[in-house]
Amino acid sequence: MTARIGVVTFPGSLDDRDTQRAIRLAGAEPVALWHKDKDLKQVDAVVLCGGFSYGDYLRAGAIARFSPVMEPLLEQAKAGLPVLGICNGFQILTEAHLLPGTMLRNDHLHFICRDQKLRVENAETAWTTDYTAGQEIHIPLKNNDGQYVADAYTLDQLEAEGRVAFRYLDFNPNGSQRDIAGVTNEAGNVVGLMPHPEHAVEPLIGTGRTDGLPFFTSILKKLVNA
């Protein structure tokens, strides 16, 4: 049976189609989920894609966190459903308290769009097993509110528990504390990151690399072997 991975579209989402394409390239079946859906259509995993949900008018991800689709997502994520939040999706996951910390406006107060070098810090989550710890990858980055912040206790706890999933290398593009580009929950089924792996799955687009494809092959292998 083909693994089914839901992709949630909110008003203002930009990268739902790109994410669906990445899922197909990995060999899974993408399932479109609308923000008003009250069930997850029995998907095996969910991706909250990038964009500007509800225009980021209140705070990035703050309104989307209360969309009807988030109620079953919260419940099932806490029960082990794999969830990946990309950029705005990461912001939504922090607003929903599925991941610690929060996202602020970039420290230079400008939108940034660039190819970004990352180091994989945790290759044991549901979304990162096709990487190796310490691997350096290039993933496109585009955000206005990408500065990851948390109190010192939370940051120390993330470091001690190996829950920093990705870290910026060579250049910190948004002022994120400790160069954190992505984190995971304690169970490793929920991961959020600011860069966009769905834009690095084919050699002719994005970075010209396929460094983002292992996100989607990792979850496929986990689901197939579950």
Side-chain angles (χ1 to χ4, degrees), residues 50-144:
F52 302 90
S53 59
Y54 296 92
D56 285 349
Y57 288 127
L58 177 61
R59 187 175 61 248
I63 301 176
R65 177 259 179 275
F66 294 101
S67 291
V69 74
M70 291 300 294
E71 184 175 347
L73 188 144
L74 282 165
E75 180 181 350
Q76 294 184 42
K78 291 175 182 177
L81 179 75
V83 178
L84 175 65
I86 301 170
C87 195
N88 189 231
F90 185 14
Q91 295 161 343
I92 295 169
L93 291 177
T94 62
E95 290 288 338
H97 304 297
L98 282 174
L99 291 175
T102 193
M103 314 301 299
L104 300 180
R105 184 68 52 88
N106 296 343
D107 63 346
H108 45 74
L109 303 181
H110 295 286
F111 179 84
I112 189 168
C113 182
R114 56 172 279 134
D115 291 342
Q116 179 65 46
K117 188 176 182 180
L118 306 175
R119 182 171 63 239
V120 180
E121 302 283 25
N122 186 330
E124 298 179 1
T125 78
W127 299 91
T128 59
T129 54
D130 270 358
Y131 293 108
T132 57
Q135 183 177 349
E136 297 180 1
I137 60 177
H138 291 79
I139 302 289
L141 174 80
K142 49 178 186 175
N143 64 68
N144 194 52

Side-chain angles (χ1 to χ4, degrees), residues 158-197:
L158 289 172
E159 300 277 13
E161 295 177 358
R163 291 170 54 196
V164 175
F166 298 90
R167 213 179 297 267
Y168 298 115
L169 288 183
D170 296 344
F171 171 73
N172 186 323
N174 43 40
S176 291
Q177 293 179 320
R178 304 193 189 181
D179 299 327
I180 292 174
V183 299
T184 179
N185 68 340
E186 187 175 357
N189 63 303
V190 180
V191 172
L193 79 161
M194 287 309 296
H196 288 258

